[in-house]
């Protein structure tokens, strides 16, 4: 790799809530070639305790105005994603937006245009592409272990019976479980199978005092193949993370990737055991005994390493705006399908479908 004009790249984060604290800060700090230098947050004491070498500023505008900053991560509440990303782009910064990209498809398109006009990289933090469970299933499908896929089931379930006092569970723009976990579920499905023909969805509020959806069942239709995306807050036993049925058998991945758990407990990304997954993927072929296939380790640092190289001009953006637009189209269409009780097609333009296909093929 040639010696870059600026090495390492200097990165700032807007927000030090769950996403900024648990994922972005430690992953950035553990990625060679990136330096976490500033955080915009009202939690000055907590940031200073966790990252004493990092400058803390009170507002996003103050962060964007810092000299020599190269890139900023927007890890604030969902309704602030689009305006803050726009402001950062116009400040001359490359921008990472936590999921979901924006509140709706119109905002997503407008923000993508802003990035193109500013000549800056705009990317979305789809870290779950580098989870061990997803990598195991993707490898199994690429190897043709079960022939043609007929049904793909993906679940992200939790057991949190009490509604918590936080914006993610309040009735406000961009909140609800589908907008929280749906971006991961949808992005993984699109990466494996491409754009669906249509979508049929149901959303529900199942917990006492819930004011926004906390259960979702979304079906993506691809000809005769069905992709089922499910998330819930009332699953004390969550079931298998993935179950894939095909003409030659079934792939079963029971346990989820462990990186979030490791990050919550303070493990440094890249430490011994980082991303290790002791849960084998099981391959059923119709006989009594399944075959166990070891799961590869996950490593969400790869997202930031690829993005670093994209900013330096060595490779393509790992999650370009067109892929974020497609995910937003799935999220929005599923919500409309649930509201109207209809099967709906994705409202993507033909040129957007072509751009998505080009990015997918890379």
């Amino acid at each position: 790799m040639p010696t870059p004009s600026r090495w390492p790249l200097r990165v700032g984060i807007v927000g030090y809530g769950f996403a900024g604290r648990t994922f972005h800060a430690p992953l950035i700090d553990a990625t060679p070639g990136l330096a976490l230098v500033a955080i915009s947050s009202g939690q000055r004491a907590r940031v200073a305790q966790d990252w004493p070498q990092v400058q803390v500023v009170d507002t996003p505008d103050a962060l964007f105005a810092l000299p020599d900053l190269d890139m900023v991560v927007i890890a604030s509440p969902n309704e602030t994603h689009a305006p803050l990303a726009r402001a950062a782009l116009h400040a001359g910064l490359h921008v990472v937006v936590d999921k979901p990209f924006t509140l709706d498809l119109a905002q997503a398109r407008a923000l993508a245009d802003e990035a193109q006009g500013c000549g800056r990289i705009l990317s979305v933090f789809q870290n779950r592409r580098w989870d061990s469970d997803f990598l195991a299933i993707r490898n199994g499908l690429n190897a043709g272990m079960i022939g043609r896929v007929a049904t793909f089931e993906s679940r992200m379930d939790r057991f949190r019976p009490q509604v918590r006092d936080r914006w993610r569970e309040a009735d406000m723009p961009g909140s609800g479980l589908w907008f929280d976990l749906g971006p991961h579920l949808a992005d993984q499905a699109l990466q494996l199978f491409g754009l669906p023909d249509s979508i049929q969805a149901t959303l529900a509020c199942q917990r006492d005092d819930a004011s926004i959806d906390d259960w979702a069942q979304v079906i993506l239709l691809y000809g005769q193949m069905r992709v089922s995306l499910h998330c819930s807050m009332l699953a004390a036993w969550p079931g298998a993370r993935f179950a894939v049925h095909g003409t030659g058998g079934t792939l079963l991945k029971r346990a989820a990737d462990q990186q979030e758990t490791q990050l919550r407990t303070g493990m440094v990304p890249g430490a011994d055991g980082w991303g290790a997954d002791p849960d084998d993927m099981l391959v059923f072929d119709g006989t009594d005994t399944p075959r166990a296939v070891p799961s590869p380790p996950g490593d969400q640092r790869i997202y930031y390493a690829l993005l670093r190289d994209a900013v330096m001009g060595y490779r393509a953006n790992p999650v370009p705006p067109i892929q974020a637009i497609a995910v937003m189209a799935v999220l929005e269409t599923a919500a409309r399908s649930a509201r109207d009780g209809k099967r709906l097609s994705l409202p993507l333009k033909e040129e957007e479908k072509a751009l998505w296909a080009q990015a997918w093929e890379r």
Side-chain angles (χ1 to χ4, degrees):
M1 179 182 295
T3 301
S5 57
R6 184 195 299 280
W7 189 269
L9 298 173
R10 295 164 57 85
V11 184
I13 299 176
V14 176
Y16 200 63
F18 176 75
R21 180 177 66 254
T22 307
F23 290 98
H24 294 287
L27 290 171
I28 291 168
D29 186 65
T31 302
L34 298 182
L36 178 60
V37 298
I39 295 175
S40 167
S41 173
Q43 303 183 69
R44 279 184 166 269
R46 184 162 194 175
V47 175
Q49 179 180 356
D50 295 345
W51 304 98
Q53 79 282 13
V54 170
Q55 182 177 356
V56 186
V57 297
D58 292 327
T59 67
D61 286 341
L63 181 71
F64 304 156
L66 291 176
D68 299 327
L69 200 64
D70 297 297
M71 183 167 66
V72 67
V73 178
I74 309 298
S76 49
N78 296 346
E79 65 179 338
T80 68
H81 285 184
L84 288 178
R86 184 178 302 111
L89 288 168
H90 284 279
L93 299 167
H94 303 288
V95 178
V96 175
V97 183
D98 203 279
K99 57 77 191 168
F101 183 36
T102 57
L103 294 182
D104 56 41
L105 186 55
Q107 279 190 349
R109 287 167 169 157
L111 196 56
D113 289 342
E114 294 272 359
Q116 185 173 17
C118 292
R120 291 295 179 265
I121 287 177
L122 174 64
S123 189
V124 179
F125 185 60
Q126 289 292 359
N127 55 317
R128 300 293 183 176
R129 294 185 187 183
W130 294 278
D131 278 2
S132 61
D133 47 24
F134 177 68
L135 294 173
I137 291 295
R138 188 182 69 179
N139 290 346
L141 295 179
N142 288 343
M145 290 182 178
I146 59 168
R148 177 176 56 82
V149 174
T151 307
F152 180 90
E153 300 172 4
S154 175
R155 305 178 67 95
M156 283 189 171
D157 291 333
R158 308 284 189 265
F159 186 61
R160 296 173 184 167
Q162 304 302 320
V163 176
R164 292 187 283 178
D165 183 15
R166 59 177 192 156
W167 66 264
R168 294 179 189 275
E169 299 181 54
D171 188 5
M172 60 185 294
S175 63
L177 191 61
W178 174 238
F179 259 65
D180 187 22
L181 298 182
H184 294 313
L185 296 167
D187 182 71
Q188 289 180 337
L190 296 185
Q191 287 300 297
L192 291 175
F193 304 113
L195 301 174
D197 301 322
S198 57
I199 295 176
Q200 182 85 49
T202 304
L203 307 180
C205 299
Q206 294 191 329
R207 294 175 297 172
D208 296 338
D209 301 322
S211 60
I212 195 70
D213 64 274
D214 57 11
W215 181 94
Q217 181 75 45
V218 178
I219 307 298
L220 309 185
L221 294 88
Y222 297 81
Q224 294 304 308
M225 184 180 70
R226 297 293 182 266
V227 170
S228 172
L229 309 179
H230 179 86
C231 51
S232 169
M233 285 290 211
L234 288 175
W237 185 81
R241 175 67 182 87
F242 291 104
V244 192
H245 310 287
T247 56
T250 290
L251 299 179
L252 186 67
K253 183 66 178 70
R254 296 159 295 182
D257 177 270
Q258 294 300 300
Q259 288 175 90
E260 180 175 338
T261 299
Q262 292 175 333
L263 288 166
R264 283 175 179 267
T265 59
M267 178 180 281
V268 175
D272 186 39
W274 167 251
D277 189 343
D279 178 63
D280 293 338
M281 181 178 68
L282 299 180
V283 184
F284 297 82
D285 61 3
T287 59
D288 292 337
T289 304
R291 175 166 58 96
V293 178
S295 299
D299 192 351
Q300 296 175 11
R301 293 177 302 167
I302 293 174
Y303 168 79
Y304 271 116
L306 294 175
L307 183 63
R308 172 204 64 207
D309 291 352
V311 170
M312 299 305 299
Y314 301 136
R315 65 172 68 244
N317 184 346
V319 187
I322 187 59
Q323 293 184 347
I325 286 171
V327 170
M328 289 307 307
V330 171
L331 296 180
E332 188 173 292
T333 302
R336 287 194 297 113
S337 172
R339 182 193 64 208
D340 300 340
K342 297 179 180 179
R343 180 188 298 181
L344 300 172
S345 299
L346 288 183
L348 291 175
K349 305 170 186 177
E350 289 304 316
E351 56 266 33
E352 289 173 332
K353 294 179 182 178
L355 283 173
W356 191 91
Q358 292 173 12
W360 190 39
E361 291 170 357
R362 282 204 298 265

